Amino acid sequence: SKLPEPEAKSATLMQASEKLQMPELGFGTFDNFDEPKYMAEAVKVALAHGYRHLDCAELYGTEDSVGSAIAESLTKEGLKRSDLFICSKVWCNHMRPDAVKKACLRSLQALKTSYLDLYLIHWPAAWIGDKFFNDDGDFFVGEQDDVPIHETWKALEGLVKDGLVRHIGVSNFGVSHLERLLSVCKIRPYCNQVEVHPHLVQEPLVAFCKKNDIRVVAFHPIGKPSHRELDQPIALKEPIIQEMAQVHSVSPAQIILRWHIQRGVHVIPKSCTAERIASNARVFHFTLSDKEMAAISALNCDARFANPPWMDGIGFD
């Protein structure tokens, strides 16, 4: 379908370039595309519509496609590398210090950049193995690796010292994980990327992160509606959210993304549909009232969808 014309770029979207601050709205690059070209096209559409924060990871298997899209868009959109905020993550089988740097260098090569704005520990878990997925498509989980998290973090701090990475952070860390890390780190985590949406509000974790100057980035920010079971709640279909969408003349997804942003939570929605990519970027022209914000937060039922087996013995607290 014909792409909607990009609107004037939001100042909020564009603010990352000089101070290297992470834009509130980013674009997620994890999806089960049949062909890499679809991810490349999605990233090009996102950059055309003002997204400047790209969320990547070695696990996703899309960094080559993202890198190609970036290279093409820098010229087409008249951008510089410094206009973009690019994040990647180290996977659980590369948590040993010598493996961390090798993983980072592979991501840099795939993304066709000399540095990352942000590099994250993907999960507070570590195992031994050299592959990401089993033959059936499920995550490969090897024998547990006993490497302490502070050793992995020290390796990330080394990447900052080497000029390969500008900020470092974590993903899927709970309060107890963060407390342990804060007690030993030299560089404090820049952000914590976690699952947050109206059915998993995560207020204690968000409050802890804000208190400790750790930015919160929400993945599955609208609740990943296409992957819900019949008995699981779907945020987009909540009557209160649909009513707000009508009042503000926006989509339910825009309402939810706006709710995150007003909470001070960064968001990284993902889509391969041009119209949705464009629509998700238009969340800065309206404001939710305090009553509307509270009504969305009241939908919380602690419904966690990203709950992999390796977290059973670790926990999200």
Side-chain angles (χ1 to χ4, degrees), residues 7 18 86 119 132 134 152 164-165 174 183 188 203 211 239 253 285 295 299:
E7 294 187 348
E18 294 203 3
I86 302 175
Y119 199 50
F132 298 140
N134 295 316
T152 304
L164 299 174
V165 172
S183 71
R188 298 168 68 85
E203 187 55 45
K211 180 181 178 182
H285 66 286
L299 295 171

Side-chain angles (χ1 to χ4, degrees), residues 14-21 80 82-84 166-167:
M14 299 289 285
Q15 70 184 8
S17 38
E18 294 203 3
K19 295 184 179 179
L20 290 174
Q21 293 302 305
K80 302 186 297 292
S82 58
D83 293 325
L84 305 182
R166 293 191 169 172
H167 301 290

Side-chain angles (χ1 to χ4, degrees), residues 195-246:
E195 181 181 353
V196 185
H197 45 75
H199 293 128
L200 185 65
V201 174
Q202 300 255 48
E203 187 55 45
L205 177 59
V206 171
F208 178 88
C209 288
K210 287 183 179 180
K211 180 181 178 182
N212 287 278
D213 196 27
I214 300 170
R215 295 153 189 81
V216 177
V217 181
F219 70 81
H220 296 346
I222 59 174
K224 205 172 184 183
S226 61
H227 291 72
R228 299 282 65 80
E229 302 294 338
L230 288 176
D231 62 339
Q232 291 179 321
I234 298 177
L236 293 177
K237 295 185 177 180
E238 291 283 2
I240 190 70
I241 289 176
Q242 293 187 337
E243 289 171 18
M244 290 180 199
Q246 290 186 339

Side-chain angles (χ1 to χ4, degrees), residues 121-134:
I121 294 176
H122 208 147
W123 288 89
W127 55 75
I128 299 167
D130 59 359
K131 60 182 180 179
F132 298 140
F133 299 99
N134 295 316

Side-chain angles (χ1 to χ4, degrees), residues 284-309:
F284 298 101
H285 66 286
F286 69 98
T287 302
L288 299 176
S289 68
D290 291 344
K291 185 177 179 180
E292 288 173 321
M293 290 290 293
I296 297 174
S297 295
L299 295 171
N300 180 59
C301 57
D302 293 333
R304 187 185 300 277
F305 303 123
N307 192 10

